Amino acid sequence: MTKSELNTGYEPKDIEEKWYSKWLESGQFTAKVDPAKEPFSIVIPPPNVTGSLHMGHALNNTIQDILIRKARMEGKAALWLPGTDHAGIATQNVVEKELAKEGLTKEALGRSLFTLRVWKWKEESGNTIIGQLKKMGCSCDWSRERFTMDEGYSAAVKEVFVKLYDDGLIYRGNRIINWCPRCLTALSDIEVEHEDLEGHLWHIRYPLQSSADHIIVATTRPETMLGDVAVAVNPADPRYKDFIGKNLILPLMDRVIPIIADSSVDMDFGTGAVKVTPAHDMNDFEIGGRHGLEMINIFSEAAKVNESGGKYVGLNRYEARKAVLSDLEEAGLVAKAVSHLHGVGHCYRCHTVIEPYLSDQWFVKMKPLAEPAIEAVKDGRIRFSPKRWEKVYFDWMENIKDWCISRQLWWGHQIPAWYCECGGVTVTTSNPTQCSSCGGSNLIQDEDVLDTWFSSALWPFATMGWPKETEDLKFFYPTSVLSTARDIIYLWVARMIMMGLKFMNDIPYHTVIVHPTVMTIDGKRMSKSLGTGVDPLDLIEKYGSDATRFGLIIQSQAQDMRFSEEKLEMSRNFVNKIWNASRLILMNLKGHEVGSIPELDRADLWILSKFKKLLRESNDDFANNNLSQTAKRIYDFFWGEFCDWYLEISKSRLYAKDDDEKARAGRVSVEYIYLTVMNGFLRLLHPFMPFVTEEIWSRFGFSDESIIFSPWPLGEGLLEDDSLEADFERIKDIVVAIRSIRASFSLAPSKEIEVKIECADSSKIEFLASASTYISALTGAKEIEIKDKLKAPKKAAAAALGPFQIYVLLEGLIDVDVERERLEKRLASIEADLSLVLGKLMNDNFTSKAPKDVVEKERAKKAELTLEKEKIALQLSQLGDLRF
RNA sequence: GGGCGAUUAGCUCAGCGGGAGAGCAUCUGCCUUACAAGCAGGGGGUCGCAGGUUCAAAUCCUGCAUCGCCCACCA
């Protein structure tokens, strides 16, 4: 390796592309069923085919890639199964927009042509996100890539539908559902996003049929009164006791409607009297059911008033509201209007205000599915990380409602149900020729498709070949970890658990990692439409994939992370640091054969101890899914310990003339440490930064193989030595103190200094002496004298550190005022610390109640501070005698 | 209405019972033969507020304030 072969600045681009194609060519990511190995599997949360990589994906897929790469290195059979989701509404909307540009509509094309067109779009544009994942370095098994509408997957969806139907868990019913008047489809409850909007609560007079009296109802949606069939009051409400059972004349419609009693009515809200519109309100639908009321649908699918709305026919919801209010106003029936904040549901895809709508839809009965799913988390078979999300899961699951799964779309899994003239419904996986009720052959398939989330609920097993009993299923199911964003815990995570338990009779995964949500730096949601999003691809372009991954992971610690690009810059600098440290080593390796462990000095043992600690603590972090902390440890170790201290210390041995036995031995030790640390460190870092580690790994020639399958480092044979580490911290402190003196007196780097150190603790002298070469290398001291007793030299700057009294001889260079200020500042700080310590030690409660080791520590601190104080005071007093 | 989370240096965040930390920004000095994407040395914080528990509280408990998120049949 020559210097010219490594640039001084790391250029990620070519290196990243080179390695990713190599990895793909050699099939490194392809998982093999191998009973001799422990399986470790992750199914990717399938991104929408319409999607492009956003920051959430970048973070989530980095997490998964780290886990899967680590597992691979641990010798597990690691499968990361990728794929995409057909995303019914989203994709249909995209293609419809494309058609609109050509002046076409899906109706003009017809269903089958439209569907073909969507497939064509999917083939051409639906895989951008897969390419983006590759840029990130994701080690997915692309040979197993799936799509929620591929042939096998579609068969699985049908199978599930039919089985649930046969088990009585799927039924069809005429019910109130959430209707999007723009997408023209039903939505499930959790696809509706509620937003508090400032509206009005209108108080409207409904006259009694038999007298001049009236009842005032309060409503936020006066236009729905066109569909009113009753007014309900609480049976316990004294104000309305005499009204119950009487009739009202519905204004504008002149319909006679009854006053009924229903305990669901809140006496304290509004006027305590509720207009009942069963076709357009969830709650009213239930009241209507209890009282056998008629349901009058007054809206078309596009939420315009229909024929049942009398003269208002053809108006949309908001026009109708205006018209109704103005007519009521004119009739003097509006008692008052007060402003009122209330939650309004919006479509999660197009943000149109949802209309509660009465229609025929398919539903899944959820309670029987939810019960075992609750149990699986309760008994710990599935764990959420962080654990608090389990409560969120329970809250939803314990109050679960039936799931509306039919969608009035063309893109998706068409419901495998056929209707016959006889009224019979045939539900089957294969296209039926005969009605299951009457045997008739004139069958028409239900036109609706299934909720996209119905198919994605099967993801962990349908992707592995279910309903066939495949080798993959037997080996890789249940999967190990699911990593996901918190906003799809209900939509996806919970439903996978239910479906997995129902159809595989087993949980889909053992651990659910809920990663932080990526926010903008000012705490706003990242959104393309708001222009607040950051494109991960731009970041990769700017900082490289390794730095982007590392920078994301290291800041992913809070529940909401405010994305800070600075952390990526820091990571990019870190990559560069690693690159250059490698450069230093590679340029200087002489290839000494290291047969056995060479003789090591204390600096060597110290960095090995630090390294061992890093490995141990990192493994603990992994066990707690705290990847962010590992990233931080990696950074601190490599930059703060290995580069800043060990590499600098080792240079004296590295650059020593290789002309005697001692110098050669020194080199052998240093090279041994370099190789030992770099070899293990690169492996530890590899899951986080796959590209640069692979590149450096190959430059070192640590193995002929890719680093991908090198063993996960555990630091076997390395020892942690806390006392050595503590001693070493002292050495560092001494170095810093000397450097600080250098800086105070603005000594040029080339200026050699003379240092004397008095060490009052005889047990530390030997160590200090052995470290004196480090100290001189790091401080530019040409000579260091170490004694247990020393006469304080004149014309010197001083520092006191515990048992150590340090003098930097500065003949002719010392500025008395500067030195006095320096010492006084130090003295003040020592005195402040000392008074705190003394305060504690003089407190009998402390000395008697605090643990012994804590008290002991305080006493030691007191002794040390006292000594430092004396030394500094002495030095200060001598300062006056200095004559320069 | 219920629940969850956050509040620590100018900014983004660690720390979660015993000496206030990191990165960035800032100040000073360095192109020292790995790295100026760097090196060395500094400055900067009554850890949101008020109580409580404890010998000891940024750390545990209670209340409050502010911000964010989730859930709810808020007609």
Side-chain angles (χ1 to χ4, degrees):
Chain A
M1 188 64 48
T2 63
K3 188 176 171 178
S4 62
E5 285 177 61
L6 268 81
N7 301 323
T8 61
Y10 177 66
E11 294 295 337
K13 207 163 184 177
D14 296 343
I15 287 172
E16 291 180 356
E17 278 167 22
K18 173 184 81 179
W19 283 113
Y20 203 83
S21 3
K22 280 200 183 179
W23 292 333
L24 284 187
E25 279 163 29
S26 53
Q28 309 263 33
F29 305 153
T30 309
K32 287 176 199 72
V33 172
D34 181 353
K37 290 183 173 179
E38 187 187 330
F40 185 93
S41 52
I42 298 179
V43 289
I44 203 170
N48 290 351
V49 281
T50 51
S52 58
L53 201 71
H54 61 237
M55 294 303 288
H57 292 126
L59 173 62
N60 193 18
N61 288 297
T62 298
I63 292 169
Q64 293 170 72
D65 198 41
I66 289 170
L67 297 177
I68 210 85
R69 282 178 184 271
K70 173 173 178 269
R72 214 176 269 131
M73 294 173 78
E74 287 173 318
K76 295 176 184 169
L79 165 64
W80 188 9
L81 199 160
T84 46
D85 191 299
H86 67 278
I89 302 178
T91 312
Q92 176 160 326
N93 283 350
V94 167
V95 177
E96 276 193 76
K97 266 185 201 151
E98 213 172 68
L99 287 177
K101 279 187 206 151
E102 300 164 24
L104 281 168
T105 62
K106 71 174 194 297
E107 285 74 18
L109 249 59
R111 183 164 187 153
S112 61
L113 275 181
F114 177 76
T115 310
L116 273 177
R117 175 79 190 237
V118 183
W119 274 107
K120 185 167 162 261
W121 179 90
K122 188 254 170 190
E123 296 310 324
E124 286 166 4
S125 334
N127 260 29
T128 41
I129 197 157
I130 296 296
Q132 294 172 322
L133 290 173
K134 291 177 177 172
K135 269 219 140 76
M136 283 187 55
C138 293
S139 60
C140 302
D141 182 350
W142 301 110
S143 71
R144 283 178 167 87
E145 186 181 339
R146 297 300 301 266
F147 177 55
T148 52
M149 271 174 69
D150 67 33
E151 206 177 313
Y153 204 104
S154 300
V157 171
K158 276 186 205 158
E159 186 79 19
V160 163
F161 186 94
V162 171
K163 183 78 168 55
L164 288 174
Y165 180 82
D166 290 345
D167 289 355
L169 293 172
I170 280 185
Y171 63 93
R172 194 161 186 263
N174 189 256
R175 295 241 210 136
I176 287 258
I177 44 83
N178 303 290
W179 181 262
C180 175
R182 201 215 65 85
C183 299
L184 298 178
T185 181
L187 296 172
S188 67
D189 294 343
I190 44 180
E191 287 170 307
V192 177
E193 289 174 350
H194 290 271
E195 193 185 332
D196 275 344
L197 292 180
E198 192 64 59
H200 290 90
L201 193 58
W202 279 279
H203 290 58
I204 301 166
R205 289 193 190 92
Y206 282 18
L208 262 78
Q209 183 184 30
S210 52
S211 76
D213 211 350
H214 62 263
I215 272 189
I216 296 177
V217 299
T219 179
T220 54
R221 300 198 53 199
E223 69 279 11
T224 62
M225 68 174 290
L226 305 175
D228 281 3
V229 293
V231 164
V233 296
N234 193 297
D237 193 334
R239 291 172 294 180
Y240 299 116
K241 218 171 69 187
D242 298 334
F243 290 83
I244 296 167
K246 293 191 171 157
N247 285 329
L248 297 160
I249 304 287
L250 179 65
L252 308 181
M253 299 302 283
D254 293 329
R255 184 157 64 232
V256 176
I257 57 172
I259 298 166
I260 57 173
D262 194 287
S263 53
S264 73
V265 178
D266 180 354
M267 291 186 277
D268 298 326
F269 189 89
T271 58
V274 192
K275 56 190 268 324
V276 182
T277 323
H280 297 288
D281 183 279
M282 299 282 179
N283 197 32
D284 291 5
F285 176 79
E286 281 173 27
I287 296 178
R290 283 196 287 273
H291 296 269
L293 300 171
E294 193 190 347
M295 312 208 177
I296 303 175
N297 187 347
I298 59 156
F299 287 128
S300 70
E301 291 182 343
K304 288 184 177 168
V305 178
N306 65 19
E307 310 74 46
S308 307
K311 68 172 185 170
Y312 303 96
V313 66
L315 300 179
N316 74 29
R317 292 176 283 181
Y318 308 105
E319 294 163 348
R321 180 175 305 172
K322 258 192 205 156
V324 163
L325 278 171
S326 118
D327 289 350
L328 286 171
E329 203 77 63
E330 206 167 295
L333 295 173
V334 179
K336 66 172 171 176
V338 295
S339 51
H340 179 62
L341 192 69
H342 66 300
V344 177
H346 296 77
C347 172
Y348 82 135
R349 284 293 171 221
C350 72
H351 213 66
T352 300
V353 173
I354 288 298
E355 191 59 44
Y357 199 63
L358 190 61
S359 64
D360 287 324
Q361 304 287 347
W362 290 89
F363 297 87
V364 178
K365 206 182 272 181
M366 298 300 273
K367 269 229 150 54
L369 293 168
E371 277 159 14
I374 291 170
E375 204 45 44
V377 176
K378 281 234 159 90
D379 65 22
R381 274 176 293 155
I382 299 175
R383 286 169 206 278
F384 280 70
S385 173
K387 194 174 168 54
R388 73 182 122 87
W389 292 109
E390 289 179 7
K391 189 175 163 8
V392 174
Y393 171 85
F394 291 138
D395 286 348
W396 189 66
M397 292 292 267
E398 280 160 6
N399 298 297
I400 201 159
K401 294 200 205 113
D402 287 359
W403 173 16
C404 174
I405 51 170
S406 41
R407 298 289 177 273
Q408 288 64 52
L409 305 172
W410 287 355
W411 175 242
H413 299 282
Q414 195 169 350
I415 291 175
W418 284 260
Y419 304 109
C420 176
E421 300 158 309
C422 78
V425 179
T426 306
V427 173
T428 171
T429 53
S430 52
N431 288 10
T433 50
Q434 289 193 325
C435 168
S436 57
S437 312
C438 72
S441 60
N442 197 6
L443 300 173
I444 297 168
Q445 186 173 4
D446 193 304
E447 293 201 343
D448 292 352
V449 300
L450 288 164
D451 182 0
T452 297
W453 298 104
F454 185 89
S455 52
S456 52
L458 323 179
W459 188 249
F461 52 91
T463 49
M464 293 189 191
W466 189 90
K468 291 186 196 126
E469 279 190 44
T470 63
E471 292 300 305
D472 272 7
L473 262 185
K474 277 189 253 173
F475 189 64
F476 288 118
Y477 191 97
T479 67
S480 310
V481 175
L482 180 86
S483 177
T484 188
R486 62 177 143 91
D487 51 347
I488 52 176
I489 290 177
Y490 306 144
L491 280 167
W492 191 49
V493 179
R495 285 164 177 174
M496 277 190 284
I497 296 174
M498 292 188 261
M499 291 301 187
L501 287 166
K502 171 77 181 169
F503 291 96
M504 291 297 297
N505 206 21
D506 201 351
I507 54 170
Y509 24 73
H510 294 100
T511 303
V512 178
I513 293 177
V514 182
H515 66 70
T517 303
V518 184
M519 315 291 275
T520 64
I521 198 80
D522 35 23
K524 302 258 167 16
R525 209 174 194 89
M526 277 207 179
S527 140
K528 240 189 210 158
S529 52
L530 295 174
T532 51
V534 179
D535 187 342
L537 271 295
D538 291 345
L539 299 172
I540 289 174
E541 185 68 28
K542 199 163 161 193
Y543 302 103
S545 179
D546 287 325
T548 303
R549 294 165 58 119
F550 197 84
L552 270 173
I553 286 295
I554 208 165
Q555 67 181 302
S556 68
Q557 14 210 17
Q559 166 175 296
D560 292 334
M561 58 181 253
R562 297 176 174 217
F563 173 71
S564 145
E565 198 171 321
E566 283 166 359
K567 295 291 193 310
L568 270 57
E569 202 176 331
M570 160 194 159
S571 303
R572 184 254 265 136
N573 296 350
F574 183 43
V575 175
N576 195 241
K577 189 77 181 176
I578 297 165
W579 180 255
N580 277 292
S582 305
R583 225 178 128 245
L584 167 71
I585 295 171
L586 287 167
M587 285 189 312
N588 289 289
L589 278 182
K590 291 209 172 145
H592 287 285
E593 283 297 317
V594 183
S596 55
I597 299 174
E599 195 180 321
L600 301 175
D601 78 4
R602 282 172 160 120
D604 302 334
L605 293 168
W606 167 74
I607 196 67
L608 291 182
S609 174
K610 281 290 198 184
F611 185 51
K612 171 74 176 181
K613 184 166 278 173
L614 167 71
L615 294 176
R616 178 177 57 77
E617 291 176 337
S618 297
N619 275 293
D620 294 346
D621 295 337
F622 267 100
N624 298 318
N625 297 312
N626 196 343
L627 307 187
S628 163
Q629 190 150 86
T630 303
K632 196 172 178 316
R633 281 190 212 289
I634 285 173
Y635 182 95
D636 289 344
F637 167 80
F638 195 81
W639 200 319
E641 307 290 358
F642 186 64
C643 290
D644 285 353
W645 294 97
Y646 186 77
L647 286 183
E648 294 307 323
I649 283 172
S650 68
K651 277 178 181 171
S652 57
R653 279 183 286 166
L654 186 68
Y655 291 143
K657 289 224 166 54
D658 204 350
D659 53 5
D660 64 44
E661 198 55 38
K662 193 168 167 245
R664 252 194 308 281
R667 268 205 77 99
V668 169
S669 309
V670 166
E671 289 194 20
Y672 170 80
I673 298 294
Y674 287 170
L675 294 175
T676 303
V677 171
M678 286 308 295
N679 186 303
F681 177 76
L682 289 172
R683 285 182 281 141
L684 174 67
L685 181 61
H686 176 255
F688 297 83
M689 293 190 181
F691 296 108
V692 72
T693 49
E694 180 77 301
E695 176 68 19
I696 298 175
W697 183 261
S698 78
R699 300 260 185 167
F700 270 95
F702 281 131
S703 72
D704 299 334
E705 304 286 308
S706 159
I707 195 174
I708 287 177
F709 287 105
S710 64
W712 179 248
L714 296 168
E716 290 101 339
L718 302 183
L719 290 177
E720 280 182 53
D721 184 340
D722 287 337
S723 124
L724 175 64
E725 286 186 25
D727 284 344
F728 223 86
E729 289 309 309
R730 284 295 203 189
I731 302 297
K732 286 184 181 177
D733 290 344
I734 291 169
V735 168
V736 169
I738 297 171
R739 283 170 170 173
S740 178
I741 289 171
R742 285 196 78 116
S744 298
F745 297 103
S746 305
L747 302 187
S750 55
K751 170 72 188 168
E752 287 188 326
I753 50 171
E754 213 176 306
V755 174
K756 290 176 191 287
I757 303 175
E758 181 186 275
C759 177
D761 181 347
S762 57
S763 69
K764 299 291 179 203
I765 285 199
E766 195 267 318
F767 181 79
L768 184 60
S770 76
S772 67
T773 52
Y774 315 152
I775 298 174
S776 40
L778 295 168
T779 59
K782 72 171 181 230
E783 204 178 299
I784 301 180
E785 187 186 343
I786 299 166
K787 288 252 172 70
D788 59 347
K789 266 215 166 3
L790 212 59
K791 187 165 178 290
K794 304 229 161 165
K795 301 180 182 179
L801 283 171
F804 305 106
Q805 176 71 8
I806 301 153
Y807 303 97
V808 176
L809 274 56
L810 287 168
E811 195 154 350
L813 290 166
I814 194 164
D815 178 325
V816 177
D817 291 334
V818 170
E819 178 65 356
R820 179 178 291 114
E821 201 181 316
R822 226 177 48 80
L823 293 175
E824 276 171 352
K825 213 174 124 194
R826 174 80 178 129
L827 189 61
S829 140
I830 291 170
E831 279 173 343
D833 287 351
L834 191 56
S835 78
L836 278 176
V837 172
L838 290 176
K840 279 190 190 178
L841 288 171
M842 285 185 319
N843 180 348
D844 289 342
N845 278 326
F846 173 74
T847 48
S848 62
K849 289 186 183 170
K852 277 206 170 54
D853 58 317
V854 172
V855 178
E856 216 29 66
K857 221 170 124 190
E858 290 300 315
R859 292 208 168 109
K861 209 193 309 181
K862 176 190 161 193
E864 199 162 275
L865 288 168
T866 309
L867 188 60
E868 287 178 0
K869 185 182 160 185
E870 284 170 7
K871 295 288 185 183
I872 295 293
L874 181 68
Q875 194 64 19
L876 260 174
S877 73
Q878 289 184 354
L879 209 52
D881 304 337
L882 291 182
R883 297 284 180 272
F884 295 101

